[in-house]
Amino acid sequence: MAPERGANVGRITRRRFVTATAGALGGLITTGGAAAAGDRREFRGMWLATVVNRDWPSRPGLAAAAQRAELLAHLDKAVERRLNAVVFQVRPTADAFWDSPYEPWSQWLTGVQGQDPGWDPLGTAVAEAHRRGLALHAWFNPYRVANHTDPTRLVATHPARVHPGWTVPYGGKLYYNPGLPEVRRFVEDAMLDAVTRYDVDGVHWDDYFYPYPVAGVSFDDDEAYARYGGGFADRAAWRRDNIDLLVRETAARIKEIKPQVRFGVSPFGVWRNAANDPLGSATQAGAQTYDDLYADTRRWVREAWIDYICPQLYWNIGLAAADYAVLVPWWNEVARGTGVDLYIGEALYKAGDPAQPAAWQDPAELSRHLTLAKRYASVRGHCFFAAKEVTEDRTGAMARVVADHYAARARTA
């Protein structure tokens, strides 16, 4: 995602900074499920990023009425673009866009962590999305605590200050330690509070598990590994198991709370390169989720631990290091026969960006992505990064997608 999601490839490295069905457009499905206008099912989503005020609010400290108006404008634009789902970031940095008993109000709302914004952003987003026939997936970042390493900058009651042993500074940021069982339980509780209290249609994670590697810097989990890693071949296997447990436990708990709520993950688009694993993709990515983030995303799909996977295939057709036309069929085969829906994460933010390869200067590039993806049966939709670009559409790439592919309404997949 652009600052939040943009992993570049020359070498494909880390993303830059941040990181039930309600129904389709125009009343095609009501929240009660009454269908109209045919059976077409397709996920047409957009990410609505809140960390560092990427998409919304436009800046911290706006009055509640102004924040609400901006939020509704994003939902209206989703309807105008004939999308049917919004993936709303509600826990970007161990904080909350609802009145959580576990974590403080987000600083991205008021500019002050822990300060009540005077309204209920998540509750409003759910109600107003459903009013417009949009599904609302709540997007959580499990382990990121802060975009700095100074715990004293957190509100005094922040769990990361109350439990300083839970955190690890790394690469200029602060993270919860995934190797601690008490941390895993806490972050599950914090995220699932929103599922218990709100009529969300999905729980969504992006690609942040263990942090993207920083050259020459090690993630200091020695003490946790000494305590809990004895039964594993090596530290990497133990770390992957920690993330596997988070996925499996969260999935089971969602089904206990609200079985209709879907659970999906949007990982970095390369699991492993074929040079490292014959099961991997014909890519030369500088980052691999299995090896670098300790996220075995292929396994999660093959064993159907999740309801959908939305890999971030943020690269153009023909890119040598990570070709969109190579990765879509690879993910199609991973999802085949699993019952897990495959949605493709699309880099709308790259369209027209002069810093991007020539392919992204062509407004038809994204439309070609959807044309290609239609050839693969496992692909059930697309999600666009991100809301700001859905609105601005500087080169007309989104309008081209709508004209070429979204002429008819669709129910969420």
Side-chain angles (χ1 to χ4, degrees), residues 141-228:
N141 297 83
Y143 292 119
R144 185 173 56 203
V145 175
N147 291 322
H148 57 76
T149 60
D150 183 1
T152 66
R153 291 172 57 184
L154 304 174
V155 67
T157 56
H158 196 292
R161 291 189 67 178
V162 176
H163 304 282
W166 285 7
T167 61
V168 178
Y170 182 77
K173 298 179 175 65
L174 195 64
Y175 299 91
Y176 282 129
N177 187 345
L180 299 177
E182 58 270 34
V183 163
R184 188 173 70 248
R185 182 68 188 196
F186 172 79
V187 298
E188 290 173 11
D189 289 346
M191 293 183 288
L192 294 173
D193 177 67
V195 178
T196 300
R197 295 167 60 189
Y198 295 94
D199 188 23
V200 298
D201 300 289
V203 168
H204 183 98
W205 296 345
D206 59 11
D207 55 320
Y208 287 105
F209 297 100
Y210 279 87
Y212 281 87
V214 176
V217 183
S218 61
F219 186 83
D220 184 8
D221 56 1
D222 290 353
E223 185 177 338
Y225 180 52
R227 189 184 311 167
Y228 299 111

Side-chain angles (χ1 to χ4, degrees), residues 9-10 12 284 314-324 350 357:
V9 182
I12 302 179
Q284 298 85 45
Y314 286 179
W315 308 298
N316 56 277
I317 294 170
L319 185 69
D323 189 342
Y324 185 92
K350 288 187 174 181

Side-chain angles (χ1 to χ4, degrees), residues 251-395:
R253 293 181 67 183
I254 291 169
K255 298 312 175 191
E256 289 174 2
I257 297 166
K258 290 181 181 174
Q260 74 275 17
V261 171
R262 307 191 74 219
F263 179 32
V265 178
S266 176
F268 180 77
V270 176
W271 171 71
R272 300 193 88 189
N273 296 320
N276 296 327
D277 191 318
L279 294 176
S281 52
T283 51
Q284 298 85 45
Q288 303 164 91
T289 63
Y290 181 92
D291 301 276
D292 297 312
L293 309 181
Y294 306 97
D296 192 353
T297 53
R298 183 182 182 276
R299 182 183 187 187
W300 305 346
V301 176
R302 295 304 301 171
E303 300 197 17
W305 292 351
I306 55 180
D307 297 308
Y308 69 86
I309 190 95
C310 184
Q312 297 170 34
L313 303 190
Y314 286 179
W315 308 298
N316 56 277
I317 294 170
L319 185 69
D323 189 342
Y324 185 92
V326 167
L327 283 162
V328 169
W330 186 86
W331 280 105
N332 178 74
E333 288 305 310
V334 169
R336 184 192 298 273
T338 63
V340 176
D341 286 331
L342 171 61
Y343 311 144
I344 307 298
E346 300 286 354
L348 176 62
Y349 73 93
K350 288 187 174 181
D353 181 349
Q356 297 299 329
W360 292 105
Q361 312 314 314
D362 183 351
E365 174 68 18
L366 275 184
S367 181
R368 286 193 288 268
H369 287 196
L370 273 68
T371 299
L372 184 153
K374 283 180 179 177
R375 295 168 17 202
Y376 298 96
S378 298
V379 178
R380 302 297 303 276
H382 301 259
C383 197
F384 299 92
F385 192 83
K388 183 165 63 177
E389 287 76 14
V390 168
T391 294
E392 294 175 354
D393 197 22
R394 59 189 158 199
T395 65

